[in-house]
Amino acid sequence: MTGRAVVKGVGHYLPARVVPNSEFEKTLDTTDEWIRSRSGIERRHFAAEGETTSDLATKAAQAALDDAGLRADQIDAIVLATSTADLTFPSAATMVQARLGMTSGYAFDVQAVCAGFVYALSNANALIVSGQAKRILVIGAETFSRIMDWTDRSTCVLFGDGAGALVLEAEESAGTPQDRGILAVDLNSDGRYRDLLYVDGGVSTHTTGYLRMQGNQVFRHAVEKLAQTAETALEKAGLHSADVDWIVPHQANIRIIQGTAKKMGLPMEKVVVTVQDHGNTSAASIPLALSVGKQRGQIQRGDLVVTEAIGGGLAWGAVVLRW
Ligand code: UT7
């Protein structure tokens, strides 16, 4: 028998304000056509003034708890992936813990930028498999609108705000690739690529800073590394691309998503795509897509799901799980 971390619930929250591409035509030398054709993005949500990452995260977490039929006091831990926490400290995770009324257990943030949710899932899985928690809320939540340089057309049209969450629960399984739950993880980073995607400020430089990206360079790495990490994770699980029911990729660019599916030999019919509606929500994009994919009736119990993501660091990775 093997302990597995099995998905018991999923949920998401998007801020009310929807911003179509045409909004950017008013202030920047850009067009709806350029943004759609280069990225696949049509609109994105932006948090209201005063609405923070922990606000979005709390609503997504509550939705996941409701979906699982659980109360917050039945959760042992919260792992929250974000690069845009409300404050330098305490963690956004402990703020969510308090807002949910959870007075025991433990909560912490994970920061791996756009790969954050994959890293958070890996951490949560390790805590469950090692017996340090029975039930964990795994959240991805971001307010990237706060770190946009609104004069930089090459970045500010690409990102959005949002949050998604999963409830994972320990379950004894046969220890085979047919088990439900997280079956394998592959994580990677290479700090030599720091300058390809970063924020030019931070606590120890006394600034907040803005996101800077050499988009075409990140694009090149993404196409090369995403299919590779997904295939490595599948191999670790004793599975192959042909076994996959759904790829749920980080939603940064439809061309990267298509390129990765093609390299894995999978048709787009097996890919959950939300980038047109959410833009790139960094660590929130995968749990948002999982939640929307379930709502649409795409992801069903027993389906083999592969998530993969890459972002600042560079940091990248994949998780294979059976829903
Ligand atoms: O989530 C973390 C990981 N991030 C990503 O995965 C993002 C990866 N990168 C991308 O998605 C794409 O590289 C972009 C969507 C950012 C850009 O697409 P691209 O096909 O790589 O375009 P490019 O950066 O090579 O730029 C092509 C042209 C440039 O003009 P010149 O130098 O050819 O005259 C840009 O200045 O497009 C120009 N451009 C724009 N034009 C209109 C850049 N941004 C805009 C814009 N509107 N918003």
Side-chain angles (χ1 to χ4, degrees):
M1 294 295 274
T2 304
R4 297 278 194 202
V6 178
V7 176
K8 291 289 166 175
V10 61
H12 71 272
Y13 177 77
L14 289 156
R17 184 176 164 219
V18 180
V19 176
N21 291 344
S22 54
E23 286 262 324
F24 294 101
E25 293 177 346
K26 297 175 192 160
T27 52
L28 291 168
D29 180 16
T30 191
T31 59
D32 171 47
E33 202 283 325
W34 190 96
I35 301 167
R36 270 175 206 254
S37 62
R38 293 294 177 130
S39 71
I41 297 165
E42 297 172 21
R43 60 194 72 81
R44 74 286 292 139
H45 293 245
F46 285 148
E49 199 55 46
E51 194 175 29
T52 64
T53 293
S54 71
D55 293 333
L56 310 187
T58 303
K59 288 181 174 147
Q62 190 57 59
L65 285 172
D66 292 347
D67 188 48
L70 291 166
R71 300 182 314 269
D73 63 9
Q74 295 173 296
I75 298 295
D76 301 319
I78 298 175
V79 183
L80 194 161
T82 190
S83 300
T84 49
D86 306 25
L87 300 176
T88 301
F89 71 78
S91 65
T94 53
M95 296 184 186
V96 173
Q97 183 189 24
R99 296 268 296 276
L100 291 175
M102 192 179 141
T103 53
S104 62
Y106 53 95
F108 60 95
D109 289 356
V110 166
Q111 208 266 53
V113 204
C114 297
F117 194 74
V118 167
Y119 274 63
L121 273 183
S122 169
N123 272 273
N125 181 51
L127 291 170
I128 285 178
V129 170
S130 64
Q132 294 177 77
K134 189 164 181 290
R135 291 197 192 100
I136 304 188
L137 258 171
V138 192
I139 309 170
E142 303 277 17
T143 46
F144 260 49
S145 61
R146 310 303 193 225
I147 50 167
M148 288 299 110
D149 173 353
W150 299 111
T151 65
D152 178 7
R153 68 176 182 171
S154 72
T155 54
C156 74
V157 302
L158 302 173
F159 292 87
D161 301 336
L166 294 185
V167 177
L168 293 180
E169 186 176 272
E171 233 174 54
E172 283 300 316
S173 301
T176 72
Q178 279 64 52
D179 291 350
R180 289 185 67 216
I182 295 179
L183 300 174
V185 175
D186 184 56
L187 299 183
N188 311 267
S189 66
D190 190 338
R192 289 175 300 173
Y193 298 116
R194 185 200 98 133
D195 292 344
L196 298 190
L197 177 49
Y198 65 102
V199 170
D200 61 359
V203 182
S204 75
T205 51
H206 296 287
T207 55
T208 302
Y210 296 109
L211 182 145
R212 307 294 175 200
M213 177 166 73
Q214 294 176 42
N216 48 13
Q217 294 297 315
V218 177
F219 191 101
R220 196 171 57 77
H221 283 283
V223 171
E224 177 198 309
K225 293 181 165 64
L226 287 173
Q228 200 173 58
T229 186
E231 273 161 8
T232 303
L234 279 166
E235 204 177 295
K236 288 182 187 178
L239 295 162
H240 306 279
S241 289
D243 300 312
V244 174
D245 294 300
W246 294 105
I247 307 179
V248 183
H250 171 48
Q251 310 281 324
N253 186 313
I254 190 66
R255 292 184 295 139
I256 295 173
I257 293 170
Q258 288 163 340
T260 306
K262 194 171 170 199
K263 276 200 166 189
M264 293 178 70
L266 292 169
M268 283 303 287
E269 289 70 38
K270 291 196 168 197
V271 186
V272 176
V273 180
T274 57
V275 68
Q276 68 283 358
D277 298 324
H278 303 162
N280 181 346
T281 57
S282 189
S285 90
I286 288 175
L288 265 166
L290 287 169
S291 182
V292 170
K294 189 193 166 200
Q295 267 185 359
R296 286 179 188 156
Q298 294 176 305
I299 304 171
Q300 312 262 356
R301 187 185 166 98
D303 281 355
L304 188 73
V305 175
V306 178
T307 66
E308 31 87 352
I310 186 166
L314 295 175
W316 68 101
V319 173
V320 175
L321 64 97
R322 196 174 295 284
W323 196 258

